[in-house]
């Protein structure tokens, strides 16, 4: 586990970086962790993989890594509070920040897994908000060859556009959802060295290709929102306050795990999945597997 004081190496965005984010809907190549810390983090994740090779509580570790890992895995909750990430996100969203989701996007060497062109907030029940930002941190070398993200600059200026659910098994997205008609000539790659991050807007079109490199491609995605995002929307969702205060209380504030896969945290995990599935599966013509572990559908 890395030491707290070793975790952050950068801070607020400069005016130029902020302008770039506002214009393009993303910014890439921000330094967050030094090489020592990033290798400790990778090691910690790979230790979890070997310790929980049989999964936990009847679900694979990949399930927890891919959806809401911060509810049951202390390391992922702690990473959502990394000062260097929060400082940069605060430059965009302001001083009150909640982490809605923490996910790992892992592509094994030679993996054909891809991510189709999409906008994040399409199915998240947050409306068309500007106040959701994903911090995506590279925990390995996320080169063009390794299948880094590609972005369409300026696409966040669109509203939410139509997506088609493909449920393609090689797609890492929950519904294999995709936006058609993208001209790849408009896309820009966002390669990241280990320890670097990109930030992207919830409506920015993005995608990623297969991993043609000889190493694993490991990305940590943390979704941040402001307390205001749920103001005026029906229902509530769950999020963890990581900076400032939530005076709006449109989110059910969760505290973060008591330990690794504790019984009460697992109960909460399944409650969150059940409640989120009702929103995230809306309109789908088949089961959205990532939100249906068999324990959260009652
Ligand atoms: O890891 C990837 O390639 C895509 C991740 C993604 O779509 C996201 O973090 O919003």
């Amino acid at each position: 586990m890395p030491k707290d004081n070793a975790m952050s190496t950068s801070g607020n965005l400069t005016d130029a970086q902020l302008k770039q984010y506002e214009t393009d809907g993303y910014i890439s190549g921000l330094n967050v962790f030094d090489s020592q810390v990033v290798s400790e983090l990778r090691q910690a994740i790979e230790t979890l993989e070997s310790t929980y090779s049989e999964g936990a509580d009847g679900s694979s570790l990949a399930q927890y890594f891919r959806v809401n890992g911060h509810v049951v895995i202390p390391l992922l909750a702690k990473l959502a509070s990394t000062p260097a990430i929060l400082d940069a996100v605060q430059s965009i969203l302001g001083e009150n920040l909640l982490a809605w989701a923490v996910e790992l996007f892992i592509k094994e060497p030679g993996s054909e897994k891809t991510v189709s062109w999409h906008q994040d907030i399409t199915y998240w029940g947050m409306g068309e908000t500007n106040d959701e930002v994903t911090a995506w941190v590279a925990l390995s070398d996320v080169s063009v060859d390794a299948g880094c993200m590609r972005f369409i600059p300026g696409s966040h200026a669109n509203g939410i556009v139509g997506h088609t659910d493909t449920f393609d098994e090689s797609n890492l997205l929950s519904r294999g959802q995709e936006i058609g008609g993208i001209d790849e000539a408009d896309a820009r790659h966002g390669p990241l060295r280990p320890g670097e991050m990109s930030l992207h807007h919830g409506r920015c079109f993005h995608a990623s290709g297969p991993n043609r490199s000889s190493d694993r491609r490991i990305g940590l995605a943390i979704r941040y929102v402001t307390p205001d995002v749920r103001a005026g929307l029906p229902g509530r969702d769950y999020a963890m306050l990581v900076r400032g205060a939530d005076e709006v209380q449109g989110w059910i504030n969760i505290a973060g795990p008591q330990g690794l896969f504790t019984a009460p945290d697992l109960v909460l995990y399944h409650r969150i999945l059940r409640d989120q599935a009702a929103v995230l599966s809306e309109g789908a013509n088949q089961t959205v597997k990532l939100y249906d572990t068999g324990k959260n559908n009652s």
Side-chain angles (χ1 to χ4, degrees):
M1 187 79 167
K3 294 174 202 70
D4 279 347
N5 61 6
M7 290 181 88
S8 68
T9 53
S10 74
N12 296 325
L13 298 185
T14 63
D15 287 350
Q17 288 170 327
L18 191 53
K19 178 119 185 49
Q20 193 182 338
Y21 173 86
E22 286 167 357
T23 305
D24 292 342
Y26 77 97
I27 179 161
S28 193
L30 304 168
N31 192 39
V32 179
F33 297 124
D34 66 27
S35 58
Q36 166 77 21
V37 173
V38 87
S39 80
E40 287 172 17
L41 288 172
R42 178 172 176 162
Q43 183 60 56
I45 281 161
E46 293 184 337
T47 300
L48 282 171
E49 288 176 323
S50 53
T51 309
Y52 290 93
S53 58
E54 304 293 316
D57 194 37
S59 295
S60 68
L61 190 67
Q63 163 70 32
Y64 298 106
F65 273 3
R66 185 60 185 78
V67 183
N68 291 332
H70 63 300
V71 179
V72 286
I73 302 173
L75 173 67
L76 298 186
K78 184 177 161 73
L79 284 168
S81 293
T82 303
I85 301 176
L86 294 180
D87 289 348
V89 174
Q90 177 171 342
S91 306
I92 299 168
L93 294 183
E95 62 191 8
N96 300 316
L97 299 172
L98 296 124
W100 174 71
V102 180
E103 306 167 43
L104 284 160
F105 283 89
I106 300 177
K107 294 179 191 165
E108 300 301 338
S111 163
E112 290 300 322
K113 297 275 186 198
T114 58
V115 171
S116 47
W117 285 107
H118 69 287
Q119 292 168 301
D120 286 338
I121 57 176
T122 306
Y123 298 120
W124 291 355
M126 299 178 188
E128 299 264 353
T129 186
N130 287 311
D131 289 338
E132 186 280 331
V133 169
T134 292
W136 198 102
V137 186
L139 300 181
S140 65
D141 188 12
V142 181
S143 59
V144 171
D145 260 10
C148 69
M149 278 194 283
R150 308 192 299 288
F151 302 92
I152 304 289
S155 53
H156 64 305
N158 293 282
I160 294 177
V161 304
H163 288 61
T164 306
D165 294 345
T166 68
F167 288 101
D168 182 346
E169 290 290 332
S170 66
N171 195 321
L172 290 174
L173 298 181
S174 62
R175 297 157 71 139
Q177 64 266 31
E178 66 182 15
I179 303 169
I182 301 283
D183 185 349
E184 288 283 345
D186 295 336
R188 274 196 226 146
H189 286 94
L192 297 170
R193 288 188 294 256
E196 288 183 344
M197 76 169 171
S198 54
L199 300 173
H200 67 264
H201 185 290
R203 293 196 311 273
C204 181
F205 299 1
H206 58 290
S208 71
N211 181 1
R212 306 268 188 241
S213 79
S214 55
D215 190 15
R216 311 182 78 194
R217 176 269 208 199
I218 307 175
L220 170 76
I222 311 171
R223 324 283 184 189
Y224 293 100
V225 290
T226 69
D228 290 321
V229 168
R230 288 215 72 80
L233 291 177
R236 293 170 88 206
D237 197 349
Y238 302 78
M240 192 171 67
L241 186 67
V242 287
R243 182 165 278 184
D246 176 4
E247 287 173 3
V248 183
Q249 290 289 306
W251 298 90
I252 299 166
N253 284 203
I254 61 167
Q258 299 172 28
L260 200 45
F261 298 113
T262 68
D265 292 332
L266 284 162
V267 169
L268 177 63
Y269 182 86
H270 290 293
R271 188 187 316 146
I272 294 175
L273 233 53
R274 181 200 61 202
D275 291 352
Q276 291 182 343
V279 176
L280 279 95
S281 305
E282 205 182 333
N285 63 8
Q286 55 179 276
T287 305
V288 179
K289 289 189 198 142
L290 280 175
Y291 287 87
D292 180 14
T293 61
K295 292 193 176 197
N296 54 294
N297 47 12
S298 55

